[in-house]
Amino acid sequence: MQPLSAAILIALSANANAQQQKPDEIIEVRGEQREIVLPSEQAVAGLFGTNDQLQDIPRAATVITESLLRDANIDDLHDIAKFAPNSHAAAGFGNPSLPSMRGQLGELFSGGMRRQAGNNGLGVPLSLNAYESIAVVKGAPPVMLGTTQRVGGFVNLLPKRARTDQDRTELRARLGEWQQYRWQADHNAVIVEGEQAFRASVEVIDEDSFYDYSHLRSDDLTLAYEWTPSANTRWSLNFEYYDVDWTDNAGINRPTQALIDDNLYITGQGQQPNGSLVPGAGAIISPTGQVEIDRSTVLTDPLDTNTAETYLIHSVLEQQLASDWLLVNRTYYQYLEREGINQNSFVEIVDGAHTFEHRVELHYQENTTLGVNLRYNDVLGYSQFTTEADNPIDLTGALTQRRIPLTPAQQARLVELRPGLFVSPGAQYDLNNDGVGDFNLSDTTDSTSYQWGVFAQQQWAASEQLRFTVGVRADYYDVEARDPIAPAGEVAKQDNHSDWLTAANLAVQYDWSPDLTFFATAYESDSTSNSMAGGNVLNADGIIDPQNFATENSLYEVGVKYAPAGARWYADAVWFDQTRSLRNRDGSNSGIASEGLELQWHYRHEQGFWATLAASYIDAYWDNSASFQGTGQVADAFDNSRPDIINGTGVGSPNFTAFAASTQQLQGVPEVQASAVAGWQIDESWSIGGDISYTKSYPLDFLQTVMIRDQHQVNVHAQYRITPRLQARLDVINVTDQDNWAPVFEGGYFGATLAFPSLPRHAQLSLSYRF
């Protein structure tokens, strides 16, 4: 435990004891059961306007309220699939830092402001300690939020706020199998009742893992201040500090159909064309056998380093200027450092990333919104992923067989950042003047960007039943990128680029009845293509590629929403057609198109039963666009010396395959996804609940040589109120002990290289104490 977290936990405990020991104090018991708040019962703030109910938003959206986060045991961004249709995600190397929706990565917002996240899904783990609820929206962010890179959809995390009504404290502890421990203390203190309050929340995670050589250690501290000096003014301030040490988990390599179906793994170390047994490009495996592999045996290494430190500041100042006019000032700042150095030669170091954004919104009668914003992003980072080679590694062999020491020839194509640590330069150089670049490029950059935006949104009623909404936005980008580590003797290359990006939205809503609304939405926007922490890179020609600011996206949705007055249930159905971009691992962009249907239903009975259902169908495919995989098919990794095990092609792996432009089905995405979450308050002491999820079979690789079969998972829990303040809960995850699998990386690049095994059945015991 870090000293800072320990000190805060001790202080909160001391404060609680002091309150209990006051002899004349009348203690009010606040341990009553927290009622479930359904998604349709919580307003969506700061995304499409000031505050909008789910049924009034002309887009596919889901709200996961604070009570649902707790009752459904939501731990990370993967878990949003329990409630949100079409949100199946790749494993994200075991630690998702970005959401996935409609077959592609989405953006991550915090309090309506876009936060720094991972590079194509590989990034920093996320703690939910600082947040009260989650809004999940499909498609590109609306005009208020601005131009982004990822447009499959977005998740908005609503930061915790201090409450000015009463003091309250909650202590929580969770113990799980494989020596997993979590502690959380959350204290709200009223400074001036109804006017000022302060809140502190700290979470400490110390977890080993089912997976070999894997762990998660983190501290998260959240501080919040609330000030409402008058009925017309409110200021919310939120600070989060997060420090984490985790394992980059690549799953199991050589994903044959036998591995997916029966956990059968082909043994034998790959050999490079030059005879070396060090994993490298073009290596070929001569199979030595086939064994059942323990699903805990994954591509990790005890010498890998993955750490990060970040802090965020949010400020929201609301001023009611007049009865019809509301002014909102939103300010956001984030600082991030990240160091990832893996023994398979992967390096990603963010040596400081600063992001600042300020947005001013002027709202008139909740129908008109005008606004301007400035976003500043400065990133210094180093990257190296060009010499990775995963398929040649025999996971059943010694740890040394997993490691990739760079040869002198490989080092010569890189630049030494520290003694013994080599990264790509931030631009290409031709040292011998033969017309060919002499270096390997990744995402190394020292870049600064300014984004000025102006937007307007207007809603008007053509009749009592018919409403129109129009939104427009323009963003001006001014970007500079520099090579922070040019080769010795070379002048570091740099470039500037400026561009305008636009977005436009038109929505029509028709109230068939007060409870039933039909809507149609059309949205067109431009998006950027960024590298780690939102930085911009130089291409092989030493320039900022203008195509990185010219990606066009479209979204069309038609839907119906039903929210009967006086009844606690809600349902909607949405059909969508969406085209968008996918940033490939080499920095290029491919187009993705998808059509589909999404359904959700939420219900609560007055007798203590509640349930939510979500289902979706998606047809996602390459939009006459190229696709890339590290290896064309898993059979390429093997020779044909053991046809009784596998018919190998002998091509070698990795072989960096580029598939021609096509409309092939997008790999790694199930066409059908369904989930149900339910709970029942049996009596004052006992409650039970659980969830079940299902995904239809889908291809793991572009050529569809390996399929992930139909899968399901069932989780259950029981909760018992020991005293009005003290509760205990037991969760059993994957109760039927399914051997489920997931892709490791979005976009299918590792589709013929890696697959991620799910956790087996395991249990968690949680205790919470409120006062």
Side-chain angles (χ1 to χ4, degrees):
M1 183 185 302
Q2 297 290 331
L4 176 62
S5 300
I8 293 173
L9 280 172
I10 293 171
L12 290 174
S13 300
N15 180 63
N17 291 335
Q19 290 179 351
Q20 290 178 331
Q21 291 170 1
K22 293 178 183 179
D24 298 325
E25 183 179 14
I26 299 174
I27 297 176
E28 178 187 355
V29 176
R30 288 191 288 271
E32 68 276 1
Q33 178 70 25
R34 293 182 178 179
E35 185 177 352
I36 292 295
V37 179
L38 296 178
S40 55
E41 298 173 332
Q42 178 169 306
V44 179
L47 301 183
F48 296 88
T50 51
N51 283 283
D52 299 281
Q53 295 300 127
L54 199 59
Q55 58 267 34
D56 296 325
I57 297 174
R59 289 279 288 273
T62 303
V63 177
I64 307 175
T65 64
E66 181 179 14
S67 57
L68 291 176
L69 285 173
R70 179 180 299 239
D71 221 65
N73 198 24
I74 303 294
D75 275 342
D76 60 37
L77 291 176
H78 280 162
D79 292 333
I80 67 173
K82 295 180 181 180
F83 293 99
N86 264 331
S87 55
H88 174 81
F93 289 88
N95 296 281
S97 62
L98 290 167
S100 183
M101 284 161 280
R102 293 178 177 172
Q104 195 209 348
L105 285 171
E107 288 288 358
L108 187 62
F109 285 77
S110 181
M113 311 293 269
R114 178 161 50 107
R115 63 178 285 167
Q116 293 169 358
N119 182 15
N120 275 16
L122 175 61
V124 180
L126 176 71
S127 169
L128 295 180
N129 172 63
Y131 304 100
E132 291 184 334
S133 64
I134 297 175
V136 183
V137 183
K138 311 298 173 54
V143 295
M144 281 181 56
L145 302 189
T147 302
T148 63
Q149 174 184 352
R150 306 167 185 93
V151 293
F154 67 95
V155 163
N156 183 54
L157 306 170
L158 186 65
K160 286 180 175 178
R161 288 173 49 190
R163 308 299 178 182
T164 61
D165 55 351
Q166 62 180 359
D167 295 342
R168 66 194 75 179
T169 302
E170 180 173 9
L171 305 177
R172 301 182 68 196
R174 192 176 84 184
L175 298 83
E177 295 187 52
W178 311 301
Q179 297 182 332
Q180 296 189 345
Y181 307 100
R182 296 192 179 201
W183 301 270
Q184 185 184 62
D186 192 328
H187 177 64
N188 187 88
V190 175
I191 301 173
V192 178
E193 187 170 357
E195 183 176 326
Q196 292 188 68
F198 171 78
R199 184 174 181 179
S201 181
V202 62
E203 176 190 65
V204 179
I205 297 177
D206 185 358
E207 294 184 345
D208 288 335
S209 176
F210 162 77
Y211 304 109
D212 292 346
Y213 315 116
S214 187
H215 67 272
L216 175 65
R217 316 264 188 267
S218 70
D219 285 352
D220 187 90
L221 168 66
T222 296
L223 304 175
Y225 173 73
E226 190 83 3
W227 183 43
T228 54
S230 70
N232 295 326
T233 305
R234 179 176 71 86
W235 183 37
S236 297
L237 184 64
N238 184 280
F239 169 83
E240 180 188 5
Y241 171 79
Y242 183 52
D243 180 66
V244 61
D245 181 338
W246 78 100
T247 301
D248 177 13
N249 186 343
I252 299 178
N253 62 343
R254 307 178 183 179
T256 63
Q257 195 64 57
L259 178 69
I260 300 301
D261 293 345
D262 302 307
N263 296 318
L264 294 178
Y265 183 82
I266 301 175
T267 60
Q269 184 76 358
Q271 188 173 35
Q272 294 188 52
N274 62 7
S276 173
L277 293 177
V278 174
I284 300 174
I285 306 160
S286 295
T288 58
Q290 191 173 39
V291 300
E292 184 173 353
I293 193 170
D294 193 311
R295 292 167 62 87
S296 65
T297 306
V298 290
L299 195 53
T300 54
D301 193 299
L303 298 182
D304 288 350
T305 298
N306 283 278
T307 61
E309 184 177 42
T310 186
Y311 58 84
L312 304 87
I313 300 173
H314 288 269
S315 172
V316 181
L317 177 62
E318 298 181 0
Q319 180 66 49
Q320 194 74 44
L321 302 177
S323 59
D324 292 334
W325 292 93
L326 174 66
L327 180 68
V328 182
N329 280 275
R330 303 181 191 272
T331 305
Y332 162 85
Y333 172 75
Q334 182 180 0
Y335 177 76
L336 170 68
E337 289 184 352
R338 183 262 168 103
E339 182 152 315
I341 303 173
N342 292 351
Q343 298 305 303
N344 68 346
S345 78
F346 173 84
V347 177
E348 183 169 291
I349 296 173
V350 179
D351 201 13
H354 302 264
T355 302
F356 171 82
E357 184 170 0
H358 183 69
R359 185 165 77 237
V360 179
E361 306 162 11
L362 185 62
H363 302 270
Y364 176 70
Q365 291 186 343
E366 298 187 358
N367 294 322
T368 303
T369 299
L370 304 173
V372 295
N373 82 282
L374 166 66
R375 180 178 175 87
Y376 166 83
N377 196 64
D378 182 80
V379 178
L380 173 60
Y382 306 94
S383 177
Q384 192 329 70
F385 50 68
T386 62
T387 55
E388 284 182 68
D390 296 326
N391 264 335
I393 296 168
D394 186 347
L395 285 180
T396 66
L399 279 174
T400 54
Q401 295 178 229
R402 308 182 182 189
R403 296 169 181 167
I404 305 179
L406 300 179
T407 65
Q410 290 172 322
Q411 293 176 5
R413 296 189 61 82
L414 302 168
V415 181
E416 192 169 26
L417 177 64
R418 304 172 192 161
L421 180 63
F422 291 83
V423 297
S424 296
Q428 186 60 269
Y429 301 88
D430 182 9
L431 301 183
N432 56 10
N433 297 313
D434 64 352
V436 179
D438 296 320
F439 293 89
N440 296 346
L441 297 185
S442 328
D443 278 337
T444 294
T445 187
D446 180 6
S447 66
T448 304
S449 68
Y450 295 87
Q451 174 187 348
W452 290 270
V454 58
F455 58 90
Q457 181 174 280
Q458 175 66 46
Q459 182 182 99
W460 72 91
S463 67
E464 291 186 359
Q465 295 175 294
L466 184 62
R467 305 189 304 278
F468 294 90
T469 302
V470 174
V472 293
R473 180 174 181 121
D475 287 278
Y476 178 75
Y477 279 81
D478 186 6
V479 182
E480 180 182 4
R482 303 160 291 273
D483 182 359
I485 187 167
E490 294 294 314
V491 176
K493 293 183 178 180
Q494 65 176 26
D495 188 34
N496 294 82
H497 180 79
S498 59
D499 219 328
W500 282 95
L501 280 74
T502 60
N505 174 76
L506 172 64
V508 181
Q509 295 167 273
Y510 181 77
D511 296 330
W512 184 272
S513 71
D515 302 332
L516 183 65
T517 300
F518 293 88
F519 75 88
T521 293
Y523 190 90
E524 299 280 345
S525 67
D526 301 323
S527 65
T528 62
S529 181
N530 304 104
S531 63
M532 54 183 170
N536 295 273
V537 296
L538 300 173
N539 64 14
D541 295 325
I543 65 172
I544 300 171
D545 193 339
Q547 292 300 310
N548 289 343
F549 298 84
T551 303
E552 298 179 352
N553 314 282
S554 67
L555 168 68
Y556 303 96
E557 289 186 355
V558 176
V560 56
K561 299 189 175 186
Y562 184 56
R568 297 195 64 180
W569 69 279
Y570 166 87
D572 68 32
V574 177
W575 171 87
F576 66 89
D577 183 303
Q578 187 169 335
T579 60
R580 57 213 189 276
S581 65
L582 171 74
R583 185 177 190 268
N584 299 308
R585 197 164 182 263
D586 65 355
S588 64
N589 290 279
S590 295
I592 303 292
S594 63
E595 298 92 31
L597 179 68
E598 296 167 349
L599 310 168
Q600 59 178 332
W601 176 75
H602 314 294
Y603 169 76
R604 178 174 173 82
H605 191 273
E606 60 184 10
Q607 297 302 320
F609 174 79
W610 65 273
T612 76
L613 304 178
S616 57
Y617 166 79
I618 185 171
D619 179 17
Y621 51 92
W622 298 98
D623 187 19
N624 290 312
S625 186
S627 175
F628 300 85
Q629 280 186 179
T631 295
Q633 57 179 321
V634 68
D636 291 349
F638 302 94
D639 62 24
N640 202 33
S641 61
R642 289 292 303 273
D644 56 316
I645 297 177
I646 189 169
N647 291 314
T649 66
V651 172
S653 173
N655 54 38
F656 310 110
T657 303
F659 296 104
S662 73
T663 57
Q664 174 83 343
Q665 179 184 356
L666 179 63
Q667 62 268 41
V669 179
E671 289 182 316
V672 176
Q673 174 187 336
S675 61
V677 190
W680 180 31
Q681 186 70 40
I682 300 173
D683 56 29
E684 292 185 356
S685 299
W686 282 99
S687 65
I688 60 174
D691 61 88
I692 182 172
S693 60
Y694 164 81
T695 55
K696 188 179 183 295
S697 64
Y698 58 94
L700 185 60
D701 61 322
F702 179 88
L703 295 176
Q704 303 188 18
T705 62
V706 176
M707 301 288 292
I708 292 182
R709 308 297 192 189
D710 288 18
Q711 297 188 148
H712 74 274
Q713 180 169 311
V714 180
N715 308 316
V716 298
H717 74 263
Q719 185 167 278
Y720 178 67
R721 184 185 304 279
I722 302 170
T723 71
R725 294 192 181 101
L726 180 63
Q727 293 185 113
R729 170 173 166 147
L730 178 66
D731 284 87
V732 181
I733 294 102
N734 193 10
V735 67
T736 56
D737 203 22
Q738 299 298 301
D739 285 346
N740 292 333
W741 296 87
V744 166
F745 196 69
E746 303 287 348
Y749 183 83
F750 290 104
T753 306
L754 302 167
F756 195 85
S758 66
L759 291 171
R761 179 174 52 238
H762 60 285
Q764 298 170 344
L765 176 64
S766 304
L767 297 172
S768 64
Y769 186 73
R770 303 172 187 155
F771 51 92

